[in-house]
Amino acid sequence: MVAVRDIIITGLLLGGVFALVSVGLSLEYGVARVLNVAHGEFIMLGAFLTFWLFSSVNLNPLVSILVSGVFIFVIGWFLHSTLFRRLMDSSPSLEVFEGQSMLASFGLLYVVQNIARLIWGSQTHQVLFLSRTVTGAQIPLNRLVSLGVVIVIGGAFYFFLARTRMGKAIRASAQDPTTAGLMGVNIHTVLAICFGLGLAMAGIAGTLISTVYAIQTNMGLQYTVIAMIVVVLGGLGSISGAMIGGVILGIVSQLVTYFQPTMTFIAYYAIFIVLLLVRPKGIMGK
Amino acid sequence: MLEVNGINAGYGRIQVLWDMSVNVGEGEFVALVGANGAGKTTLLKTISGVMRPTSGSITFLGKRIEHANPNQIVNMGLSHIPESRRLFTDMSIRENLEMGAYPGRSWKIRRATMKWVFGLFPRLEERAGQLARTLSGGEQQMLAMGRGLMSRPKLVMVDEPSNGLAPLVVTEVFQILKSLHNEGITILLVEQNVRQTLAVADRAYVIENGHLALEGACRMLAASDHVRKAYLGL
């Protein structure tokens, strides 16, 4: 019984991080139409930024959340305003752009990963932060803090989308970019903000992951795969679907890891295939 | 107010508009009529910046806009209410209207503008919190028109507002257009419902296969043999 409870709690904690990563990808793909294969590389970048600031100036990882969030948002904004915007303007249709932007993001994956390897090498690092367990359940404090951060960011982002002028413009652009333009929305600005926010969420997730797990410069791709599964699981373009899908996958991951750790990724794909058969449009898809 | 001069435009290699020239004066109610596929919608899209002309010029309030982006053009006071409504169906009616007021100037006064729009379309106010997708076809058209007015435009281009609506609702749509015109808003209307269009507009252009075929006061066009045979079935 205690085991089940711990599995569910740690599953929720991991699921929160998965949800953050997946909402980020959902913004990049669902709104900005970039199937960003390099998404996980910005998780890695966030993690190593945190590690670097922690090991050199002993910066509290909770402060690093701000640093990696803002820094990686700027990178995302810049990448979209230069690379992806140019591709979009030169593509005759959105379908062509989706193909080209995915290829470009493949290039990005190698560039970011290899720059990181030049700086930090390929060995494993760790940020030791709040790793003592909380009495009662065997749950490390750093994971609880991570979940708290995810909940705060999720709530703030929901408020941003539901209430602010820019948030509404993002939702409108996700549904119909041409008509959003007719309403006066500068579509290029909105897409650059979405791409920047998507990357920032990856970066923040990276900061949180670095406090819980060992990190390596090649850690990114596994998270990209997880995020892609979650985004399809939740329904393409659906932010709430990505949140729900992330939590489900987190719990599944912990359940399977408890009984048979080597089967975790097999379980992800099994769920993915079953869901696609039962509900091809995803949990919240239309 | 709006001068379209010798526009050529199309999709890829397929040219849709040939040397098209259209003028709309301040306070006028001008209509573009013609068969399906004649190029009326393409002309509106070219004016609002969704499409780029291959040659020719477009001037609005004295400024050239043929290379401007849609958001810059709506900022100048030219609103395009697109064909088949194009509502944000997953957003509420109030949010759809707020999106219409997106340009900075109109965003600040959106509450007052919304009150005015609710006065024009009382049914929208009753359902302000509902998702746009739950509205009937007629109500969706009202919302599309209300949304297009939220930026407080000087000129409104309305594309096929009567499309797919029941006859009674069509009459209501035309009455609303007429009352908007009476409030001083300049209107450029695209319609296939030629009879009712010629009854409400001041002037009309007849477009056939991407070329300008006829133009003139609606009263004159309604009396011309060509229009009577080709569009009024007389």
Side-chain angles (χ1 to χ4, degrees), chain A residues 106-141:
Chain A
F106 255 114
L108 207 57
L109 184 159
Y110 290 110
V111 172
V112 175
Q113 197 179 112
N114 284 296
I115 290 175
R117 190 168 297 157
L118 281 176
I119 301 173
W120 291 294
S122 41
Q123 68 270 41
T124 305
H125 297 280
Q126 198 158 12
V127 178
L128 287 171
F129 175 68
L130 296 178
S131 49
R132 66 175 184 279
T133 54
V134 182
T135 43
Q138 290 297 305
I139 297 164
L141 189 54

Side-chain angles (χ1 to χ4, degrees), chain B residues 143-179:
Chain B
L143 179 54
M145 289 169 61
R147 186 182 62 175
L149 294 169
M150 286 294 294
S151 59
R152 298 268 184 165
K154 300 180 183 87
L155 170 66
V156 197
M157 304 195 294
V158 195
D159 197 350
E160 301 267 9
S162 77
N163 198 3
L165 299 182
L168 263 177
V169 187
V170 172
T171 309
E172 199 180 334
V173 165
F174 277 101
Q175 275 165 358
I176 287 162
L177 288 172
K178 218 170 157 179
S179 67

Side-chain angles (χ1 to χ4, degrees), chain A residues 85 161-166 168-169 171-173 175-176 178-188 190 286, chain B residues 48 50 70-71 74-75 80 82 85-91 95-96 98-104 107 133 147:
Chain A
R85 179 178 171 172
L161 283 183
R163 292 294 165 84
T164 66
R165 177 165 174 248
M166 181 48 73
K168 285 169 187 169
R171 282 158 60 212
S173 306
Q175 283 183 51
D176 187 341
T178 309
T179 307
L182 286 180
M183 300 298 116
V185 175
N186 184 338
I187 202 73
H188 287 301
V190 166
K286 280 170 232 93
Chain B
S48 64
V50 174
N71 54 304
V74 67
N75 268 327
H80 178 182
R85 346 242 193 268
R86 305 283 291 261
L87 296 174
F88 303 115
T89 50
D90 290 344
M91 297 169 83
E95 285 175 328
N96 268 275
E98 283 175 341
M99 279 312 296
Y102 189 82
W107 182 261
R133 68 164 83 227
R147 186 182 62 175

Side-chain angles (χ1 to χ4, degrees), chain A:
Chain A
M1 236 4 252
V2 174
V4 172
R5 187 197 62 190
D6 284 358
I7 288 168
I8 290 178
I9 293 176
T10 51
L12 274 178
L13 304 182
L14 187 62
V17 173
F18 284 0
L20 190 59
V21 171
S22 309
V23 169
L25 185 69
S26 189
L27 275 172
E28 291 159 25
Y29 184 54
V31 189
R33 299 300 187 106
V34 179
L35 185 49
N36 184 13
V37 183
H39 189 61
E41 304 316 310
F42 294 91
I43 298 176
M44 180 270 291
L45 199 61
F48 272 87
L49 219 62
T50 309
F51 162 74
W52 179 61
L53 291 169
F54 185 74
S55 56
S56 62
V57 292
N58 202 18
L59 187 74
N60 186 326
L62 286 175
V63 182
S64 290
I65 289 172
L66 253 167
V67 178
S68 39
V70 172
F71 178 65
I72 294 175
F73 173 84
V74 172
I75 294 180
W77 169 285
F78 178 76
L79 279 173
H80 194 278
S81 321
T82 53
L83 175 65
F84 293 111
R85 179 178 171 172
R86 188 167 290 204
L87 281 177
M88 191 172 230
D89 287 343
S90 66
S91 301
S93 74
L94 216 53
E95 286 72 30
V96 175
F97 172 70
E98 282 191 16
Q100 292 190 337
S101 63
M102 192 182 76
L103 287 178
S105 75
F106 255 114
L108 207 57
L109 184 159
Y110 290 110
V111 172
V112 175
Q113 197 179 112
N114 284 296
I115 290 175
R117 190 168 297 157
L118 281 176
I119 301 173
W120 291 294
S122 41
Q123 68 270 41
T124 305
H125 297 280
Q126 198 158 12
V127 178
L128 287 171
F129 175 68
L130 296 178
S131 49
R132 66 175 184 279
T133 54
V134 182
T135 43
Q138 290 297 305
I139 297 164
L141 189 54
N142 51 18
R143 294 206 180 193
L144 281 177
V145 170
S146 295
L147 184 66
V149 170
V150 168
I151 290 171
V152 169
I153 290 174
F157 185 61
Y158 179 84
F159 180 84
F160 169 70
L161 283 183
R163 292 294 165 84
T164 66
R165 177 165 174 248
M166 181 48 73
K168 285 169 187 169
I170 288 175
R171 282 158 60 212
S173 306
Q175 283 183 51
D176 187 341
T178 309
T179 307
L182 286 180
M183 300 298 116
V185 175
N186 184 338
I187 202 73
H188 287 301
T189 308
V190 166
L191 296 188
I193 286 177
C194 282
F195 196 78
L197 280 176
L199 285 198
M201 287 190 189
I204 291 169
T207 296
L208 298 178
I209 287 169
S210 75
T211 67
V212 179
Y213 297 105
I215 57 171
Q216 268 180 309
T217 43
N218 65 357
M219 67 189 269
L221 197 57
Q222 55 168 323
Y223 289 103
T224 306
V225 171
I226 290 171
M228 282 178 182
I229 292 175
V230 170
V231 165
V232 177
L233 202 70
L236 280 180
S238 165
I239 303 282
S240 49
M243 284 186 177
I244 297 168
V247 173
I248 291 177
L249 216 62
I251 291 174
V252 167
S253 154
Q254 290 304 301
L255 265 176
V256 176
T257 308
Y258 182 76
F259 295 109
Q260 185 54 268
T262 51
M263 300 283 273
T264 314
F265 256 81
I266 297 177
Y268 291 162
Y269 287 116
I271 288 191
F272 184 54
I273 291 167
V274 169
L275 199 110
L276 280 185
L277 289 173
V278 179
R279 203 174 150 74
K281 289 170 179 169
I283 299 168
M284 302 293 280
K286 280 170 232 93

